[in-house]
């Protein structure tokens, strides 16, 4: 049991990183990764929303299956994610107004962040139980945080690098993302010893 959960954590966070291997959640990844502070704030917001969405959608899926309307899964999950994002937005506005302002338009965009919806749908598709869904959601969001904070650090260092004028801004960010993705793809054939 412990080794299978550890394998799920490592696989979800590193090997099948939601951003760099599955290419979900690219919008906030590119948009909010200009500084480590805002990137980590976005990562924490995604962590909260992804874990809560995983838990709630697990029970919503059970209700949909019992009612015989499992085909409404995506619509129901979108409603759950949207509600959670509104809750996070209200909490951040009260608790951390500076972070709320620095995240700007990207905070409501968590609603359409396909990483959150994707992780909930993947957990249902793989028939995870509640505990496995929680572990999967936490580790997937930790993978999101790892990727976005690493990328923010690289982008902060790129400010001091001699980048050709035509490559400044988004072009070098996309090239950097591609290189990071190739690095994470190196884990694809890695076998865990347990």
């Amino acid at each position: 049991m412990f080794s299978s959960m550890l394998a799920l954590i490592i696989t979800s966070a590193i090997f099948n990183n939601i951003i760099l291997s599955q290419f979900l959640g690219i919008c906030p990844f590119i948009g909010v990764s200009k500084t480590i502070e805002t990137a980590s704030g976005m990562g924490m917001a995604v962590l909260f929303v992804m874990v809560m969405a995983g838990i709630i959608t697990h029970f919503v899926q059970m209700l949909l299956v019992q009612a015989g309307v499992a085909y409404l899964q995506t619509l129901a999950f979108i409603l759950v994610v949207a509600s959670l994002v509104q809750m996070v937005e209200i909490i951040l506005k009260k608790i951390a107004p500076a972070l709320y302002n620095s995240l700007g338009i990207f905070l409501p965009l968590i609603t359409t962040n396909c990483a959150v919806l994707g992780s909930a749908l993947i957990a249902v598709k793989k028939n995870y139980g509640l505990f496995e869904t929680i572990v999967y959601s936490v580790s997937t969001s930790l993978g999101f945080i790892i990727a976005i904070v690493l990328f923010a650090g690289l982008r902060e260092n790129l400010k001091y690098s001699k980048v050709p004028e035509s490559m400044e801004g988004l072009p070098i960010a996309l090239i950097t993302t591609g290189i990071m993705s190739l690095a994470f793809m190196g884990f694809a054939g890695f076998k865990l010893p347990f």
Side-chain angles (χ1 to χ4, degrees), residues 100-155:
Y100 174 80
N101 291 330
S102 68
L103 291 174
I105 188 67
F106 293 102
L107 183 59
L109 283 178
I110 295 175
T111 303
T112 59
N113 184 349
C114 51
V116 176
L117 180 62
S119 70
L121 290 171
I122 290 168
V124 167
K125 181 181 176 186
K126 292 187 176 185
N127 292 321
Y128 287 153
L130 180 60
F131 182 68
E132 290 172 314
T133 299
I134 293 169
V135 170
Y136 176 76
S137 299
V138 169
S139 57
T140 299
S141 55
L142 288 177
F144 183 91
I145 293 169
I146 289 168
I148 198 168
V149 169
L150 284 174
F151 187 58
L154 290 172
R155 284 185 82 175

Side-chain angles (χ1 to χ4, degrees), residues 73-193:
Q73 173 188 68
T74 304
L75 180 63
F77 287 12
I78 289 171
L79 291 173
V80 167
V81 171
S83 301
L84 287 170
V85 170
Q86 287 301 312
M87 187 173 70
V88 167
E89 194 170 356
I90 291 167
I91 291 170
L92 274 182
K93 194 172 188 179
K94 296 281 185 196
I95 293 175
L99 178 60
Y100 174 80
N101 291 330
S102 68
L103 291 174
I105 188 67
F106 293 102
L107 183 59
L109 283 178
I110 295 175
T111 303
T112 59
N113 184 349
C114 51
V116 176
L117 180 62
S119 70
L121 290 171
I122 290 168
V124 167
K125 181 181 176 186
K126 292 187 176 185
N127 292 321
Y128 287 153
L130 180 60
F131 182 68
E132 290 172 314
T133 299
I134 293 169
V135 170
Y136 176 76
S137 299
V138 169
S139 57
T140 299
S141 55
L142 288 177
F144 183 91
I145 293 169
I146 289 168
I148 198 168
V149 169
L150 284 174
F151 187 58
L154 290 172
R155 284 185 82 175
E156 283 185 356
N157 285 332
L158 280 173
K159 292 177 188 174
Y160 306 109
S161 301
K162 293 182 181 180
V163 178
E165 190 176 331
S166 62
M167 298 297 289
E168 289 178 354
L170 188 60
I172 195 69
L174 292 174
I175 290 170
T176 306
T177 301
I179 294 170
M180 283 181 67
S181 181
L182 286 171
F184 272 73
M185 285 176 64
F187 293 115
F190 188 76
K191 300 262 189 244
L192 293 172

Side-chain angles (χ1 to χ4, degrees), residues 33-85:
S33 59
K34 292 182 181 166
T35 66
I36 292 176
E37 184 180 354
T38 56
S40 59
M42 174 58 89
M44 290 301 158
V46 167
L47 171 74
F48 177 76
V49 171
M50 196 176 285
V51 171
M52 293 306 294
I55 293 168
I56 294 170
T57 56
H58 176 78
F59 293 112
V60 167
Q61 178 66 18
M62 290 170 56
L63 291 173
L64 292 174
V65 169
Q66 282 183 341
V69 290
Y71 56 87
L72 294 175
Q73 173 188 68
T74 304
L75 180 63
F77 287 12
I78 289 171
L79 291 173
V80 167
V81 171
S83 301
L84 287 170
V85 170

